[in-house]
Amino acid sequence: MKKIGILGGTFNPPHIGHLWIAEEVRIRKQLDEIWFIPTRTPPHKDTVVLDASHRLRMLHLAIKDNPYFQVNALELEREGKSYTYDTIKELTANFPEADFSFIIGGDMVDYLPKWNRVEELVHMVRFIGVSRPGYTLDTPYPVERLEIHPLDISSTFIRNRLEKGERVRYLLPDGVMNYIKENQIYEYR
């Protein structure tokens, strides 16, 4: 069976923190691939999310140099909120030969009790919880803990810096930075 890690999120924008987590989990958990799955409408966020076409293009640019990384746009192809339960159900039906692990940060580990159909979901997929500053990995749910050296970077931090006209070099892959600049996203100046 192919061992595949799933990293979901808005990727608004995708940054080196996402890539760092994906590569660390891939290597340390001996996964064959990491699939980045951008969400259409996150159920736990009320903020406006950048158009999916921009996020999808930036994600392709972010991962293009890593042969173990892929983008899967199945949540962007579905209408409505993006629930992990629906995604895992679809993935396991379409790829029965794959063994999926769902990678979540400490913030999402804390939020697990509020996830849609979490009691069923924990029997469908293995969760790998990655440490994140300010959060514990304590949960009553079966989550494999993985302590990695933190890169305290978030998409919100990057968007805020860009909106203020501040530099974000070295926080984003060059292709993503160039795309943001060329398309004047996040009020890049």
Side-chain angles (χ1 to χ4, degrees):
M1 280 195 137
K2 187 178 273 193
K3 293 165 51 176
I4 299 170
I6 298 170
L7 187 61
T10 56
F11 302 109
N12 185 26
H15 53 73
I16 62 165
H18 295 126
L19 303 178
W20 168 252
I21 288 168
E23 186 68 354
E24 279 293 291
V25 172
R26 185 187 69 78
I27 291 168
R28 291 179 50 194
K29 291 296 184 178
Q30 301 177 345
L31 302 177
D32 297 305
E33 296 175 352
I34 300 291
W35 292 3
F36 291 76
I37 301 183
T39 186
R40 173 182 285 281
T41 307
H44 62 286
K45 292 184 180 180
D46 294 326
T47 58
V48 175
V49 178
L50 182 67
D51 183 75
S53 63
H54 285 304
R55 293 184 293 118
L56 187 60
R57 182 66 188 130
M58 288 189 291
L59 196 49
H60 279 288
L61 291 167
I63 70 160
K64 71 180 175 98
D65 294 327
N66 190 320
Y68 301 104
F69 290 175
Q70 291 186 33
V71 174
N72 184 311
L74 73 96
E75 288 190 2
L76 298 179
E77 295 161 2
R78 281 197 315 251
E79 294 296 323
K81 293 192 181 278
S82 299
Y83 292 109
T84 302
Y85 174 85
D86 298 328
T87 300
I88 296 302
K89 188 174 178 183
E90 187 173 340
L91 287 174
T92 55
N94 292 339
F95 303 96
E97 75 289 354
D99 177 24
F100 291 106
S101 297
F102 199 83
I103 305 162
I104 56 175
D107 55 333
M108 287 293 104
V109 171
D110 284 353
Y111 197 78
L112 271 177
K114 298 178 183 169
W115 280 33
N116 181 51
R117 301 177 81 165
V118 69
E119 298 297 336
E120 296 168 67
L121 188 58
V122 296
H123 297 289
M124 297 168 60
V125 69
R126 177 178 33 265
F127 281 95
I128 299 173
V130 177
S131 56
R132 187 167 180 180
Y135 297 94
T136 69
L137 295 176
D138 296 331
T139 182
Y141 297 101
V143 175
E144 291 181 30
R145 298 168 183 235
L146 185 60
E147 297 285 335
I148 65 171
H149 187 78
L151 295 181
D152 195 10
I153 301 168
S154 71
S155 296
T156 302
F157 173 73
I158 291 169
R159 287 193 311 273
N160 289 341
R161 286 188 65 90
L162 285 167
E163 288 167 5
K164 294 177 194 171
E166 297 174 351
R167 308 268 309 165
V168 293
R169 189 168 187 203
Y170 307 118
L171 299 175
L172 299 166
D174 289 342
V176 173
M177 186 68 249
N178 291 336
Y179 184 88
I180 289 170
K181 184 177 182 179
E182 289 166 11
N183 291 279
Q184 299 179 338
I185 300 172
Y186 312 118
E187 300 182 28
Y188 180 87
R189 297 172 206 159

